[in-house]
Amino acid sequence: MFPKNTWYVACTPDEMDGKPLGRTVCNEKIVFFRAEEGKVAAVEDFCPHRGAPLSLGFVRDGQLVCGYHGLEMSCSGKCSSMPGQRVRGFPSIRAYPVEERHGFIWVWTGDAEQADPALIPELHWANDPAWAYGGGLYHVGCDYRLMVDNLMDLTHETYVHASSIGQPEIEESAPETKVEGDEVITSRYMENISAPPFWQAALRGNNLSDDQPVDRWQVCRFTPPSHVLIDVGVALAGKGGIDAPAEFKASSTVVDFITPETDTSIWYFWGMARNFNPEDQELTDRIREGQGTIFAEDLEILEAQQQNLLKYPDRKLLMLNIDGGGVQARRVIDRVLKEEQSASPSTSAKAG
């Protein structure tokens, strides 16, 4: 159901602050911890002694200690010691390629020999002091592709997010979708409209009047396996829209990293990066709170949708022009899956 030879966001560094973190990624139970010299490590969440989850243990001197009988594991998955026992000859458990970059912990659940850190997406805003970022994490009970569909068709904002970012002009403006290699881009532009409440607040955050007509844009960019970055914003009408000078607009990049947990559940890492008033932490906190509320409104819909699809697996869904982004994204996913399975039958068997 999901590619395995790729990098997924597994967690954020603060989630494993001083303790191991157990997390299922692509149907695989993994424990993340800081090993020697603070380097991030990831191994199977399974103690080879009695099968207890290693995530219930603790870290001591860079070694992962099982909380059941004290067996110690190294970052390579090899048993290193145990009080009063000889364990160095025990078979190793699986270790996963893992990288800490751009404020996230990335994991590769497929063939470790193919894990090239250069394939981790380059996030220019993550290391640029001219940008500020705030985000969070939701656990959602749905197929990861349903979340991709949701983010590639923002028509739903008019209904699901009516009190914050929704407005009738969204559904009245036809989206355009194009495919460039593995990237799917769906764009929607609205001119000379009123800014909805969320964007009124963003305008004020950039010291702009919130009661003037604006031009609004949404440019959704999907890249495999399941990353969606959305360029959004408003500019005072007639100043150039998305290309308007910075002093006339409030623009941001909505960050969506969707990590499959199981076939019908995901870890959803969301956030917003902006390049206006980046030093204003209070503004960052307000935007994060507002965005968190907006994304929470999607959860009920997506989880109920998933349950309906499970109950009626043979029902054929309608495809409209607004679904173009999601349809093309699924085609890219299907192609990546097919290529992965053709290249490595053993890996595809593990991928389910």
Side-chain angles (χ1 to χ4, degrees):
M1 286 194 59
F2 24 73
K4 302 291 284 279
N5 288 326
T6 189
W7 293 102
Y8 289 101
V9 173
C11 62
T12 53
D14 60 288
E15 291 187 87
M16 35 181 256
D17 185 14
K19 61 185 185 304
L21 171 71
R23 178 150 291 168
T24 298
V25 178
C26 295
N27 284 324
E28 302 198 18
K29 292 177 67 65
I30 306 173
V31 56
F32 299 86
F33 66 101
R34 291 203 179 275
E36 295 89 347
E37 301 179 351
K39 181 177 174 59
V40 178
V43 298
E44 287 182 90
D45 196 6
F46 185 93
C47 179
H49 173 220
R50 303 300 298 166
L54 290 167
S55 57
L56 297 180
F58 57 93
V59 180
R60 180 173 59 205
D61 298 328
Q63 303 292 299
L64 181 59
V65 183
C66 179
Y68 197 9
H69 297 95
L71 179 66
E72 294 189 8
M73 309 294 301
S74 72
C75 62
S76 66
K78 183 172 179 58
C79 302
S80 54
S81 68
M82 185 174 177
Q85 307 295 323
R86 295 181 177 180
V87 298
R88 291 185 178 272
F90 278 17
S92 298
I93 59 175
R94 183 180 178 185
Y96 294 83
V98 63
E99 294 285 334
E100 184 171 4
R101 190 173 298 182
H102 308 317
F104 299 99
I105 308 300
W106 304 77
V107 68
W108 182 283
T109 59
D111 181 359
E113 294 184 358
Q114 299 185 43
D116 182 358
L119 298 176
I120 294 174
E122 184 57 43
L123 308 178
H124 68 89
W125 45 264
N127 306 296
D128 186 344
W131 288 72
Y133 175 80
L137 169 64
Y138 284 135
H139 180 262
V140 190
C142 74
D143 182 327
Y144 76 104
R145 293 168 296 187
L146 294 182
M147 180 61 86
V148 172
D149 294 343
N150 172 276
L151 294 166
M152 293 301 290
D153 172 22
L154 299 182
T155 306
H156 73 276
E157 289 184 355
T158 302
Y159 303 95
V160 180
H161 311 303
S163 64
S164 54
I165 56 176
Q167 58 187 138
E169 289 86 352
I170 296 175
E171 60 181 339
E172 294 168 0
S173 305
E176 295 183 2
T177 296
K178 61 181 179 179
V179 181
E180 298 179 352
D182 282 346
E183 184 178 39
V184 180
I185 305 169
T186 294
S187 306
R188 178 183 266 123
Y189 299 94
M190 296 150 274
E191 296 183 350
N192 200 34
I193 64 174
S194 298
F198 179 88
W199 285 110
Q200 289 177 353
L203 286 168
R204 295 192 297 271
N206 199 23
N207 303 312
L208 292 168
S209 173
D210 65 1
D211 60 356
Q212 297 185 57
V214 298
D215 297 330
R216 183 180 180 185
W217 60 90
Q218 301 169 325
V219 183
C220 309
R221 303 176 186 274
F222 165 85
T223 54
S226 48
H227 309 323
V228 181
L229 300 179
I230 311 176
D231 295 326
V232 294
V234 293
L236 300 184
K239 298 296 185 180
I242 192 172
D243 297 317
E247 63 266 27
F248 297 122
K249 67 182 178 182
S251 61
S252 303
T253 297
V254 177
V255 178
D256 306 281
F257 293 128
I258 307 157
T259 299
E261 179 192 38
T262 67
D263 293 358
T264 55
S265 62
I266 61 173
W267 301 105
Y268 176 36
F269 297 86
W270 54 266
M272 180 173 279
R274 76 175 191 283
N275 60 351
F276 61 92
N277 289 342
E279 72 289 342
D280 190 338
Q281 184 60 46
E282 183 178 347
L283 178 59
T284 300
D285 293 340
R286 288 203 308 270
I287 290 176
R288 179 175 57 230
E289 181 179 355
Q291 192 188 26
T293 300
I294 291 168
F295 283 142
E297 293 171 341
D298 288 307
L299 306 192
E300 181 180 3
I301 290 285
L302 288 166
E303 291 184 338
Q305 179 189 16
Q306 178 65 70
Q307 292 306 309
N308 249 7
L309 293 174
L310 290 174
K311 186 175 182 179
Y312 304 104
D314 298 325
R315 296 287 290 268
K316 184 174 178 59
L317 302 182
L318 300 177
M319 292 299 172
L320 308 175
N321 68 319
I322 59 174
D323 301 311
V327 169
Q328 294 297 334
R330 287 190 179 228
R331 287 177 180 173
V332 171
I333 292 171
D334 289 344
R335 176 170 54 76
V336 170
L337 281 170
K338 185 176 180 180
E339 291 172 353
E340 183 174 292
Q341 292 164 0
S342 299
S344 178
S346 60
T347 300
S348 67
K350 293 179 182 178

